[in-house]
């Protein structure tokens, strides 16, 4: 696969009639997202030792500059802006972040009749691109949830249950099998920045608390963790939203931001910046649309 080729996993949601849709309101993440500057590329025409009368030399320099640009495109990340606490009208929430994590875990257990879709842009040390996917949930025994492994985004990356058995596919790793309703083991520490789009669904798929332990672990590692709230218009009505921010410099996860609908308590956007072991930047931004009260069982089967 060409490293500069965008990778797509576009799966249509056919026959799902939404009766309630939850998405981040306009003016949410888009207006607050980072500008995406292009890498700085040397201008070969400004090279003083270049001889314009030598076409071959000019061509070689242009080729060299283009190769250098392509190499920088792979390692110079388009930084995702994780918000500063208190910006854009957000205010410190009345609930503690760990208590909010427990609220998310509890709300996730009750999911049913959901048809959702997401788009995710990311860049790791080897490639950059966009991925599209879906998550379909009938109940705790029948679902198909696609996610993105930031370290290996080409997949297949899916968690699914057929009514009796549960399978976890993660790229070329061995398939994990279990019975529906059987609690799964927590992921190893340090994997959150790679698999946060899977962990966001694990209170439901694995039947155990996930957000509260993740936030507790981040605080133990020295991250500053902030929870904020803000009322915004969505679908013609005002409703509450929450913004979770965690930051810490150094190797691994540097900054993480997630925004949640304050009524359904589902993640609407999640984004992060990280640094690889060799100092290269890794970035990702996930944006989702949730459709509730869906009849998805037939489509799942």
């Amino acid at each position: 696969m060409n490293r500069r080729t965008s990778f797509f996993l576009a799966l249509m949601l056919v026959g799902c009639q939404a009766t309630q849709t939850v998405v981040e309101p306009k003016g949410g993440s888009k207006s607050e997202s980072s500008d995406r500057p292009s890498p700085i590329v040397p201008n070969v025409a400004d090279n003083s030792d270049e001889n314009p009368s030598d076409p071959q030399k000019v061509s070689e320099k242009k080729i060299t500059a283009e190769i250098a640009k392509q190499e920088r495109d792979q390692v110079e990340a388009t930084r995702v802006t994780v918000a500063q606490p208190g910006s854009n009208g957000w205010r410190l929430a009345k609930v503690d972040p760990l208590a909010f994590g427990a609220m998310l875990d509890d709300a996730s257990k009750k999911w049913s009749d959901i048809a959702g879709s997401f788009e995710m842009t990311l860049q790791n040390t080897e490639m950059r691109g966009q991925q599209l996917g879906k998550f379909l949930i009938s109940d705790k025994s029948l679902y198909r949830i696609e996610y993105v492994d930031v370290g290996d985004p080409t997949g297949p990356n899916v968690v699914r249950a057929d009514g009796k058995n549960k399978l976890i596919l993660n790229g070329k790793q061995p398939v994990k099998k279990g019975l529906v309703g059987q609690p799964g083991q927590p992921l190893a520490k340090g994997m959150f920045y790679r698999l946060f789009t899977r962990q966001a669904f694990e209170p439901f798929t694995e039947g155990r608390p996930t957000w509260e332990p993740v936030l507790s672990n981040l605080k133990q590692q020295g991250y500053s963790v902030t929870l904020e709230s803000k009322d915004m218009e969505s679908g013609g009505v005002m409703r509450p939203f929450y913004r979770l921010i965690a930051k810490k410099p150094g190797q691994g996860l540097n900054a993480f931001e997630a925004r949640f609908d304050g009524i359904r308590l589902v993640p609407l956007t999640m984004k992060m910046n990280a640094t690889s072991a060799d100092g290269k930047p890794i970035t990702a931004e996930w944006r989702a649309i949730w459709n509730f009260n869906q009849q998805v069982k037939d489509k799942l089967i």
Side-chain angles (χ1 to χ4, degrees):
M1 174 182 178
N2 190 310
R3 293 185 304 172
R4 294 179 56 78
T5 300
S6 296
F7 38 91
F8 297 90
L9 183 60
L11 297 170
M12 300 299 293
L13 300 177
V14 181
C16 297
Q17 299 297 319
T19 57
Q20 183 181 19
T21 299
V22 178
V23 64
E24 185 164 6
K26 293 181 180 180
S29 64
K30 290 295 183 183
S31 64
E32 298 172 23
S33 294
S34 61
D35 293 330
R36 301 181 179 275
S38 300
I40 299 174
V41 181
N43 187 346
V44 297
D46 294 335
N47 200 322
S48 60
D49 63 357
E50 181 179 283
N51 182 3
S53 64
D54 188 346
Q56 182 177 357
K57 187 174 182 180
V58 172
S59 178
E60 290 175 352
K61 285 186 174 291
K62 287 183 178 180
I63 292 173
T64 301
E66 179 61 25
I67 292 174
K69 175 182 179 298
Q70 292 180 11
E71 289 298 321
R72 279 191 301 279
D73 281 351
Q74 302 306 318
V75 298
E76 294 186 9
T78 302
R79 281 290 180 180
V80 171
T81 296
V82 171
Q84 291 294 332
S87 60
N88 298 298
W90 291 82
R91 297 291 182 265
L92 196 65
K94 296 180 180 180
V95 60
D96 178 79
L98 296 186
F100 181 70
M103 290 168 56
L104 296 177
D105 290 333
D106 185 63
S108 304
K109 299 175 184 178
K110 306 170 186 177
W111 286 348
S112 64
D113 301 325
I114 296 172
S117 61
F118 70 83
E119 62 174 358
M120 184 167 177
T121 55
L122 67 87
Q123 175 171 309
N124 60 24
T125 58
E126 297 180 349
M127 64 181 72
R128 65 169 58 182
Q130 182 184 52
Q131 189 152 335
L132 309 179
K134 67 179 180 180
F135 43 95
L136 299 175
I137 297 171
S138 177
D139 53 39
K140 293 186 72 69
S141 66
L142 191 63
Y143 54 81
R144 177 184 175 88
I145 298 169
E146 295 162 9
Y147 66 94
V148 180
D149 181 343
V150 173
D152 184 15
T154 56
N157 298 313
V158 182
V159 182
R160 69 179 187 226
D162 63 5
K164 181 183 295 185
N165 299 303
K166 175 179 63 180
L167 298 177
I168 299 178
L169 307 178
N170 192 178
K172 297 179 181 179
Q173 297 182 22
V175 176
K176 293 183 179 180
K177 299 181 180 181
L179 296 175
V180 167
Q182 182 180 24
Q185 294 296 318
L187 294 173
K189 294 180 181 179
M191 292 293 287
F192 179 68
Y193 84 87
R194 281 189 55 168
L195 296 172
F196 64 89
T197 63
R198 176 172 133 193
Q199 286 194 287
F201 290 86
E202 287 190 344
F204 174 79
T205 62
E206 305 305 317
R208 55 170 167 72
T210 298
W211 280 107
E212 193 277 336
V214 164
L215 296 177
S216 178
N217 180 252
L218 290 177
K219 295 191 74 171
Q220 290 173 8
Q221 294 181 57
Y223 285 82
S224 62
V225 179
T226 306
L227 179 68
E228 300 176 311
S229 63
K230 181 180 180 181
D231 290 340
M232 292 184 283
E233 183 178 338
S234 178
V237 298
M238 296 296 291
R239 60 194 293 145
F241 293 85
Y242 287 95
R243 183 170 76 175
L244 182 68
I245 301 172
K247 293 187 175 184
K248 178 187 175 184
Q251 185 179 321
L253 179 67
N254 301 140
F256 176 77
E257 177 185 340
R259 304 187 186 194
F260 302 85
D261 172 74
I263 298 176
R264 291 284 190 172
L265 295 178
V266 294
L268 303 176
T269 62
M270 297 185 288
K271 49 188 176 180
M272 69 88 192
N273 291 310
T275 303
S276 68
D278 56 358
K280 295 180 180 179
I282 302 169
T283 68
E285 183 170 358
W286 181 91
R287 299 166 294 277
I289 298 175
W290 296 72
N291 298 309
F292 293 89
N293 304 321
Q294 301 297 289
Q295 298 299 316
V296 299
K297 182 171 293 186
D298 292 342
K299 300 305 174 184
L300 277 171
I301 295 174

